[in-house]
Amino acid sequence: MIIIESTTMKNVSKTFAYLAIRTENLTRRYKSFTAVDSLNLAVHAGEIYGFLGSNGAGKTTTMKMLVGLLQPDEGHTWIGGHDVWKEPLAVKAAFGYVADHTMLYDRLTGREFIDFLAQIRGMPEREASRRIEQLLDVLELRDRADTACGTYSFGMKRKLAIAGALIHNPQVLILDEPLNGLDPLSAHRLKDLFAELAADDTAIFLSTHDLATAESICHRVGIIHKGCLLVEGSSYELRQIAGAPGLEEAFLSLTAVDERVPV
Amino acid sequence: MKLELLILKAHLKSAFSALRNDSRTKIVWFIALSLDCGVGLWSINQLLVHLSQWKAAGSAMLETHLWLLFSGAWIGIGLFASLSTMTLGFGGDQPRLLMTLPISPAARFRVLYSLMFFEGIGNWLILEVVVIGIPLIIILGWQAFIWLLLLLLGVAFAVWMSIVVTLIVFHYMLPHLKKTLLIVLVMCVGIGIVYKILHMVGITLNLSTHSMPAPILVSLLFIIVLVLIVGPFAGGAGKQYVEAFHEMEGRSRSRAVINLPGVRLLSKLLRQNRNLTGALLVKGLLNQSRNAFTWARLVMVLICIALFPFVRVLLAPYGFSNLLLVAIYSSGVAILAMIEYAAYAISSEGARLGIYLVIPLMVATYLRARLIVLLIPMLFMGLTLSLVFGWWMGLPGFELVQVVLVVTLILFGYTAFSVWGGVWDEDLNFVSEGMMPVLSQEELPFIPRRLQLLGLSLLLIGVMFILVWKVPVSLSVPALILLDGVVLTVGWRFGSSQIRGLIIRG
């Protein structure tokens, strides 16, 4: 793996505070198949980290291990300085998570669903209401806030899931393909929101297949391939390593070294 | 036919592969088989006794009762086939995939019809044939085979009827539910009036005075009809299926949220409780108040309450004391109202269980909250009914206290068993989207493992009722406390370890 100490962030030059996410030799096997192999990651507060990889590379498995939905076979993970498996309550209070699929209750309205999430997190009613109204505006869900979630389009469901992840102002956001299914305007607004959150010291760890997005909003990008972190650094640095003009070419060049198939 | 066989082969291959490789499926099959054997043996014994009595009473009596028995069997299979039509024909990705392939309507219908026997009613069909077939052969000898042929052909016809009726309901009735309900109501009233008039003029239907048709003739008729429905008429049913499918897929998504009077106020009150239990209560209240199944349950409870005086008269010869009757009936009604839901209160979450696993709460808190949320309506219903029935029957205060205690213990044990046991069927990777998949995942217990759990919970209810019935209250209460203790301890450990297992397995 090639690790570059990030000195040149493409979009923002800022000094990061403490480590928000750290993994050490994180490994997960399914019988003889190793989905994630000795993964070492470090994401700082205020940083947007893009996690790239082909289908089945191990992105979702890694994210599930970060949020405590999947137990690693080896290695450790810390979020906000707390060990995910030793201090689960402190860790879970610190992050917001959006899964790769929507997890909603079809008969609840959008507003009721976010309120439900606020209630299970024990947020005071007044604070929850204020935050819900704020999120409905930011994510442009107000018009449909009082209709059943089951009637939402895929993109709206994603936005609602993001609203749910943001309800408690988490220090860390873990987002599995958050822009998937969003229209260009919504995606653009969401990218702005991520930048604002990062400016407020929220660490954002997101996976995406959209390399243009990764290039435009991520301070650093890590490419996972067959469970191993191949390379990480700013998109500028990845382009330099691969000798490619864009992140897309860099990604293709770095991940396809051993998989060239004659056409 | 080649295409139909190809699709069937793929389905069977997938089912066998699941049976071979998935240990959970193996356990399900093992339990299903054990339950089948248990139920089968008991039913065979019962039927043997009855068949002998019918035979001794003469051939007319035997034939009448066999026809009644077969009609019951066909209706039962028909109901299961109707439910299976929903899951096999409309739920999940497989029907959608098949709908995108260039398959003729006739072939489409034949595939759905054949699948019904393998994946829909297979288990029930085998059970039915064994349970009815063995006593028939023992009592009737070679003649039994004629009746068995009739039974099987009747099943094949009942399955076809159920599919077609379900398709008609989906295509024509569901989109116009209000009109349909009105028509059904008018028809019921009309039939009632006609029946009353016939009764008044002295025309009555007495089965025993009519000779039953010969089974061989009816079998021949069934064969002709079946050849027609899977042959030349399959295209018509297939077109009906395609249209019903498109009707269901194209249903308006602009579902308005219905807020019944009082629900908003109650949910506002429950919202004050800012914790998991409070949140689950609010969610449950809103969710269930917008669920047609809940209203069906409520209607059922009202019917059961209205039937209490009749049940009381019916059970009088069996020596049930008033205390016993009130305790068993009240807890029975409360259980009946929740029985098809309790067993999958947790597993209906599927991937959504992740919502609860990523919040800062322990698994134990989640399990406890789930139990409380289901226990509250169960106890509310059970205890209210026991107090009302107890007051109506004039039970003295001490007996009323005993009833309350017994009902609480029965409902507590049953709820803990069903709710925590339901984790068995939970799959963190299962995502259901779309009306029919959500319906089959969240509203119906017709998944093998859920049915097994339902069977086991019925067994537990049976044990509890027998304890209350056969043992004096002074002994049955401590026995119920002991049983609840065992259920709580085992259920708690099982539920916790299952959820931990889900996180470990991934």
Side-chain angles (χ1 to χ4, degrees):
Chain A
M1 189 195 74
I2 307 156
I3 299 177
I4 301 154
E5 277 305 314
S6 202
T7 48
T8 50
M9 298 295 173
K10 183 181 177 261
N11 301 302
V12 186
S13 57
K14 62 186 276 189
T15 322
F16 293 116
Y18 59 92
L19 272 180
I21 302 174
R22 185 159 80 91
T23 71
E24 195 179 275
N25 295 324
L26 200 63
T27 303
R28 173 70 201 199
R29 294 183 201 90
Y30 293 99
K31 292 185 180 168
S32 58
F33 171 69
T34 305
V36 175
D37 195 1
S38 305
L39 185 71
N40 292 300
L41 282 173
V43 181
H44 298 83
E47 185 180 17
I48 304 178
Y49 187 102
F51 202 41
L52 307 184
S54 321
N55 293 330
K59 300 188 296 293
T60 298
T61 305
T62 303
M63 291 198 159
K64 281 185 174 177
M65 286 194 283
L66 290 182
V67 299
L69 281 179
L70 183 65
Q71 194 164 314
D73 290 315
E74 284 165 35
H76 298 278
T77 310
W78 294 267
I79 288 184
H82 303 284
D83 188 301
V84 169
W85 296 98
K86 286 180 185 156
E87 302 159 274
L89 299 190
V91 166
K92 286 169 184 179
F95 71 75
Y97 169 59
V98 174
D100 57 340
H101 49 262
T102 47
M103 303 195 288
L104 310 172
Y105 288 98
D106 281 0
R107 286 199 191 91
L108 297 190
T109 66
R111 193 192 300 273
E112 286 166 351
F113 178 71
I114 315 175
D115 192 36
F116 165 71
L117 293 178
Q119 198 179 353
I120 60 175
R121 283 189 174 269
M123 284 176 73
E125 206 175 350
R126 189 168 291 182
E127 189 192 331
S129 299
R130 185 189 55 78
R131 186 84 179 128
I132 289 166
E133 297 309 316
Q134 199 183 0
L135 287 167
L136 289 175
D137 281 334
V138 171
L139 291 158
E140 295 174 309
L141 288 166
R142 184 168 291 283
D143 288 350
R144 296 288 302 276
D146 295 311
T147 52
C149 297
T151 66
Y152 285 14
S153 67
F154 184 74
M156 285 184 73
K157 285 181 178 174
R158 297 297 290 171
K159 286 203 268 185
L160 190 63
I162 292 167
L166 288 170
I167 186 71
H168 59 295
N169 270 321
Q171 304 164 33
V172 177
L173 264 180
I174 297 169
L175 312 168
D176 202 348
E177 299 184 26
L179 305 176
N180 203 4
L182 294 189
D183 62 82
L185 185 65
S186 301
H188 178 76
R189 295 216 166 126
L190 214 55
K191 283 187 245 178
D192 285 347
L193 175 67
F194 293 159
E196 280 171 33
L197 289 167
D200 284 343
D201 262 1
T202 304
I204 301 176
F205 183 77
L206 61 90
S207 74
T208 180
H209 288 296
D210 181 358
L211 299 173
T213 297
E215 194 158 15
S216 65
I217 63 164
C218 296
H219 299 117
R220 271 193 310 149
V221 168
I223 296 177
I224 185 170
H225 186 57
K226 292 183 177 173
C228 299
L229 191 65
L230 274 185
V231 60
E232 84 177 346
S234 72
S235 56
Y236 170 75
E237 288 159 345
L238 297 198
R239 288 201 307 271
Q240 278 198 325
I241 293 163
L247 189 58
E248 187 176 342
E249 291 83 355
F251 177 82
L252 292 173
S253 144
L254 289 164
T255 56
V257 175
D258 55 341
E259 289 181 359
R260 294 222 165 94
V261 181
V263 180
Chain B
M1 281 291 178
K2 204 176 164 188
L3 189 68
E4 287 93 313
L5 288 174
L6 202 71
I7 297 168
L8 261 181
K9 215 171 138 184
H11 268 270
L12 290 178
K13 222 172 170 177
S14 159
F16 281 124
S17 160
L19 188 59
R20 236 192 346 261
N21 302 321
D22 184 6
S23 55
R24 297 204 301 179
T25 311
K26 282 180 194 166
I27 295 170
V28 168
W29 277 100
F30 174 74
I31 292 179
L33 215 65
S34 312
L35 277 178
D36 278 2
C37 288
V39 172
L41 282 173
W42 182 81
S43 308
I44 287 169
N45 276 330
Q46 295 293 313
L47 199 57
L48 271 172
V49 175
H50 285 102
L51 270 175
S52 310
Q53 287 169 354
W54 298 337
K55 197 183 173 189
S59 65
M61 181 65 94
L62 177 72
E63 282 186 15
T64 307
H65 279 97
L66 280 179
W67 273 103
L68 281 175
L69 178 72
F70 284 16
S71 305
W74 293 333
I75 291 170
I77 283 280
L79 285 175
F80 279 111
S82 186
L83 291 163
S84 298
T85 307
M86 294 184 207
T87 48
L88 291 173
F90 298 89
D93 291 334
Q94 280 177 359
R96 285 201 183 111
L97 172 70
L98 288 179
M99 212 41 88
T100 62
L101 299 176
I103 305 171
S104 70
R108 229 176 258 293
F109 178 76
R110 279 194 285 265
V111 167
L112 181 64
Y113 185 64
S114 322
L115 277 179
M116 206 59 74
F117 293 93
F118 293 108
E119 292 185 12
I121 57 152
N123 186 32
W124 302 107
L125 181 59
I126 293 168
L127 188 66
E128 208 166 271
V129 170
V130 171
V131 164
I132 297 177
I134 292 174
L136 268 183
I137 292 167
I138 292 172
I139 302 291
L140 299 183
W142 69 268
Q143 271 190 316
F145 291 101
I146 299 171
W147 284 100
L148 268 179
L149 180 71
L150 175 69
L151 177 72
L152 286 173
L153 292 168
V155 164
F157 182 71
V159 168
W160 177 83
M161 273 293 279
S162 298
I163 296 176
V164 171
V165 169
T166 310
L167 295 179
I168 289 171
V169 168
F170 276 20
H171 187 195
Y172 298 107
M173 295 165 94
L174 270 187
H176 317 284
L177 200 58
K178 280 182 191 164
K179 264 188 206 168
T180 310
L181 287 175
L182 197 70
I183 293 168
V184 170
L185 191 73
V186 170
M187 277 172 70
C188 287
V189 172
I191 290 169
I193 292 168
V194 169
Y195 177 79
K196 197 75 191 162
I197 291 168
L198 288 175
H199 192 74
M200 280 163 72
V201 294
I203 302 169
T204 50
L205 182 71
N206 191 347
L207 279 175
S208 57
T209 60
H210 292 78
S211 60
M212 292 292 143
I216 195 76
L217 283 179
V218 182
S219 296
L220 277 173
L221 189 69
F222 272 147
I223 290 172
I224 295 166
V225 172
L226 285 170
V227 167
L228 289 173
I229 58 183
V230 294
F233 294 151
K239 275 182 196 154
Q240 196 64 246
Y241 173 38
V242 174
E243 281 169 12
F245 186 89
H246 288 143
E247 181 65 51
M248 295 309 288
E249 287 288 301
R251 286 196 80 185
S252 169
R253 287 163 58 83
S254 57
R255 199 166 7 132
V257 171
I258 305 159
N259 283 311
L260 295 163
V263 167
R264 195 153 283 282
L265 180 73
L266 198 55
S267 69
K268 203 172 178 183
L269 284 173
L270 291 169
R271 252 189 208 107
Q272 311 287 319
N273 196 9
R274 307 301 291 176
N275 56 29
L276 180 62
T277 310
L280 285 174
L281 281 170
V282 173
K283 188 210 75 176
L285 179 69
L286 294 172
N287 226 347
Q288 295 303 325
S289 67
R290 294 165 188 167
N291 185 353
F293 283 81
T294 308
W295 297 106
R297 278 189 212 122
L298 215 64
V299 170
M300 202 174 63
V301 169
L302 290 174
I303 292 171
C304 287
I305 293 171
L307 285 176
F308 182 68
F310 303 101
V311 174
R312 187 190 168 196
V313 174
L314 270 176
L315 292 180
Y318 298 95
F320 277 84
S321 67
N322 285 350
L323 184 150
L324 197 64
L325 188 65
V326 171
I328 289 185
Y329 200 75
S330 307
S331 46
V333 172
I335 288 170
L336 197 66
M338 294 279 187
I339 196 157
E340 40 63 69
Y341 176 70
Y344 52 94
I346 291 180
S347 62
S348 64
E349 297 288 4
R352 267 189 323 227
L353 186 67
I355 292 176
Y356 306 96
L357 297 180
V358 298
I359 55 167
L361 287 173
M362 302 304 284
V363 169
T365 313
Y366 173 71
L367 287 175
R368 202 167 41 236
R370 272 287 177 195
L371 178 64
I372 291 169
V373 166
L374 220 78
L375 207 53
I376 287 173
M378 291 279 271
L379 284 178
F380 175 74
M381 203 183 302
L383 294 179
T384 308
L385 287 180
S386 59
L387 289 174
V388 170
F389 290 150
W391 168 77
W392 190 70
M393 303 267 288
L395 284 184
F398 177 64
E399 287 196 357
L400 216 53
V401 171
Q402 285 181 325
V403 168
V404 166
L405 196 61
V406 167
V407 170
T408 306
L409 287 170
I410 289 176
L411 294 181
F412 203 79
Y414 163 76
T415 314
F417 180 86
S418 297
V419 174
W420 291 342
V423 187
W424 187 35
D425 190 36
E426 167 60 26
D427 180 357
L428 263 179
N429 297 310
F430 189 85
V431 182
S432 58
E433 281 194 65
M435 193 183 134
M436 288 313 292
V438 167
L439 190 74
S440 57
Q441 164 75 2
E442 294 180 17
E443 318 287 6
L444 301 169
F446 299 100
I447 294 173
R449 212 180 299 183
R450 287 182 189 173
L451 283 173
Q452 308 321 322
L453 193 67
L454 198 67
L456 290 174
S457 61
L458 285 174
L459 207 67
L460 179 73
I461 296 166
V463 170
M464 286 174 154
F465 280 1
I466 288 171
L467 263 178
V468 179
W469 184 19
K470 297 286 179 192
V471 181
V473 179
S474 55
L475 286 177
S476 67
V477 168
L480 282 176
I481 291 173
L482 193 71
L483 192 59
D484 278 5
V486 172
V487 167
L488 280 170
T489 313
V490 175
W492 178 262
R493 286 189 181 175
F494 176 79
S496 312
S497 69
Q498 280 290 309
I499 291 184
R500 268 198 301 276
L502 289 171
I503 296 170
I504 292 168
R505 282 194 302 273

